[in-house]
Amino acid sequence: MVPSQADDPIVCVVDFHHARGPEIESWFGVKDGTDPAADNDWSYLPFMALSDGAHAYALLPFSSMPYVTRSTVQKAVVVIAKSPQLFGHLREKLSMVTGAWFAQRDFTDMDILKVGLSLRELIYEYKHQTLVLFKCCLLQPKMLFFGSRCERLCMMQFSLISLIPNLLSQLSDCADPDLDTYSTNFVPPTSLKTSSRPSLLAYMGLPLQIFGKGSLFGPYTPLQQLDVLADYGTRSYIVGSTNSLLLQQKDRYSDILINLDDSSISISSPSLRSALALSAADRRWIDFLTQTVTSTWDPQNPSRPTTLAYMGSEEFIRLQFEEYLLALLSAVKYHLYLTSFPPSRPPLILQENKHETDPIVDFNPDWLASWQLTPSYALFNRSTDAHLFDIVEPRHPTAGNLSIEDIQRRITQQIHTLHLDDRFASTKENVSKHLATGKERMREGVEKLWSDIEAFRDAQAQKRRAAASSASTVSENEASGATTLQRRDSARSTQSLSALGSPEKTMSPAPNRFAAAAAARAPDFTTAQASVVAAGQRAGAYMSSWGAWAAEKRKGWGRVGGGETHASAAGGTVEKVVEEQGRVRSPGKKKSREVVGGDGIGRLDA
């Protein structure tokens, strides 16, 4: 930092020499012949001005300069002020001067001169994680910010610590871990003027001094200061780096890593992760703040709400965090008051109101347990009154249990965060296109199916008509052929039965007649079927007539053999009694025997 007597900011130009590296080229606002860097031991100033990786976006071409030995040149315009409170105002003016100066050298890349990150941008980009980072600062861990753009990297850290009221004006000990002048010289206030905001903040113990003994604040930290970060005496810090080498050693140099390039937060300490978990009341509070900023967001002017109203403005956000912090400090004091009583003798307020609970529950008790281990808490506890809760109500700004409104708001916020509306819109459009295409294809398919069915029906109808026509023709042919054959066979059978004396003689000519009849017909398939049917009918008629003839013969032979019939008295039926094996014996007569031949016809032998 500059000496106390130097109240006005000073400006210097830092140049990158191809052989010697970063070096201060000139000073503005100081006496001629003086070197503030040497007088104040600012040996790291050139390295801070030209950050690691800055050549990735700040290499500016020169076309006609005789002293330039390389194709590109790096320069930085640096403002050194006593307090960072003037950074915004100084930077706005300096940007115009620097732009004109660079324009004289034909510089066209103006990205490095863009406006820094505001509180609205911080909340819009990190949403509920903004509260996580805020509470993390109070716990004094090792916070490492990484980003490829040095300016945005620094502005992010300044925006974050500016949420602690009056801290930007009390950074006298942030440059070195060995400095501790604030806590040594601090005199707690003995009076309170409630109508005065500065008096109220001071009486409540603000600003919380998070940069004291063993702490460091380096918005940009070059590699030359890594030994300071790794030193045993450095217990906590908030630093930034543009060198990707630190990402490979994040577990060594950080408890929490904030990567600005991909907007991610990585917490390596399990205890810190538990302490930074947001309660239902915390989520309700930060969701309300995020929704307020999101609903008034203007991409053309992020620092100002679209309504131009107080809601969602920079001052609105700052006062909301101030209210949250005051309620948190009051709840801590009230928690200490409640826990000072033994369980058997609770305080009177709990006896009168049994529904009264410890308000620290809404702020996460694990966070309080971690904060009580920090030097910041020790300074706050010994320099503030024990009954701060009598001044500020010890209650979370959005205290209460989780409700349906909280869930709906969180779902809405998640949908907006994940851009589900845009994704669903494109998906809906694609689905509509596919549905229209599918509907057209289905219509064409149904029409083709019906046409195929109609064609199939026509083909089947034609086949049925052709089959019916063929069947009627075949039936007529069969009927006429069968009638003719039956007449011929009947006549032939009658002649055969009358002409033959025994069945052996009548059986032989039939196959010859059938063969002759079959040979006489035309050898087409329809006629052959009719012939088979007719032959079967003739064979049946022949066998019937032959059986009748045989039965008549058998009756005659039975009478000659002496068989007799008698009526059965029991059943009333007539039976023909023939002695088995054809033997009949009579006394005094010659034996007679009935012999059954192989043709089944019985004969009598004397």
Side-chain angles (χ1 to χ4, degrees), residues 18 58-65 67-74 107:
H18 69 281
L59 291 179
L60 307 175
F62 284 80
S63 56
S64 58
M65 286 189 175
Y67 60 87
V68 175
T69 58
R70 307 181 71 182
S71 60
T72 56
V73 170
Q74 289 178 263
F107 297 141

Side-chain angles (χ1 to χ4, degrees), residues 275-485:
L276 295 180
L278 299 182
S279 64
D282 283 342
R283 284 302 298 258
R284 189 183 303 115
W285 181 81
I286 192 62
D287 286 346
F288 161 74
L289 198 58
T290 302
Q291 186 177 4
T292 303
V293 172
T294 303
S295 60
T296 59
W297 183 254
D298 184 5
Q300 303 300 327
N301 190 359
S303 62
R304 187 177 62 182
T306 54
T307 58
L308 302 180
Y310 173 73
M311 289 288 291
S313 64
E314 295 277 329
E315 188 64 20
F316 170 78
I317 297 172
R318 204 174 299 279
L319 290 180
Q320 290 297 315
F321 274 94
E322 180 179 305
E323 179 188 4
Y324 178 90
L325 185 56
L326 291 177
L328 172 61
L329 298 178
S330 178
V332 169
K333 287 294 186 177
Y334 188 67
H335 170 76
L336 297 177
Y337 171 76
L338 294 179
T339 55
S340 63
F341 291 86
S344 58
R345 296 177 56 191
L348 182 61
I349 188 173
L350 294 183
Q351 296 178 9
E352 295 176 353
N353 187 1
K354 296 183 180 180
H355 299 287
E356 183 75 18
T357 58
D358 192 346
I360 203 64
V361 175
D362 291 330
F363 293 97
N364 188 358
D366 292 338
W367 180 89
L368 176 59
S370 297
W371 188 47
Q372 289 177 328
L373 303 176
T374 64
S376 174
Y377 170 81
L379 178 62
F380 163 78
N381 193 37
R382 73 170 182 261
S383 61
T384 54
D385 189 88
H387 292 266
L388 292 181
F389 51 86
D390 291 333
I391 302 173
V392 176
E393 183 182 8
R395 174 182 172 84
H396 197 287
T398 55
N401 296 325
L402 190 65
S403 62
I404 299 298
E405 290 77 10
D406 298 330
I407 298 176
Q408 292 176 346
R409 183 170 57 252
R410 190 172 302 178
I411 292 175
T412 304
Q413 184 65 32
Q414 289 295 329
I415 291 176
H416 181 77
T417 302
L418 299 175
H419 302 286
L420 295 182
D421 292 336
D422 299 336
R423 297 181 183 179
F424 287 159
S426 59
T427 303
K428 183 179 180 180
E429 183 179 357
N430 294 332
V431 169
S432 300
K433 291 181 179 178
H434 289 302
L435 286 177
T437 305
K439 183 178 180 180
E440 182 65 22
R441 292 180 178 177
M442 182 177 292
R443 186 183 63 80
E444 294 176 356
V446 170
E447 291 178 355
K448 186 176 182 301
L449 178 62
W450 280 113
S451 62
D452 292 342
I453 291 175
E454 292 297 330
F456 179 76
R457 287 178 176 177
D458 293 341
Q460 292 295 323
Q462 293 179 1
K463 290 181 180 180
R464 286 195 296 270
R465 287 193 295 268
S469 176
S470 300
S472 61
T473 304
V474 171
S475 299
E476 293 175 358
N477 295 335
E478 288 180 352
S480 60
T483 304
T484 305
L485 290 176

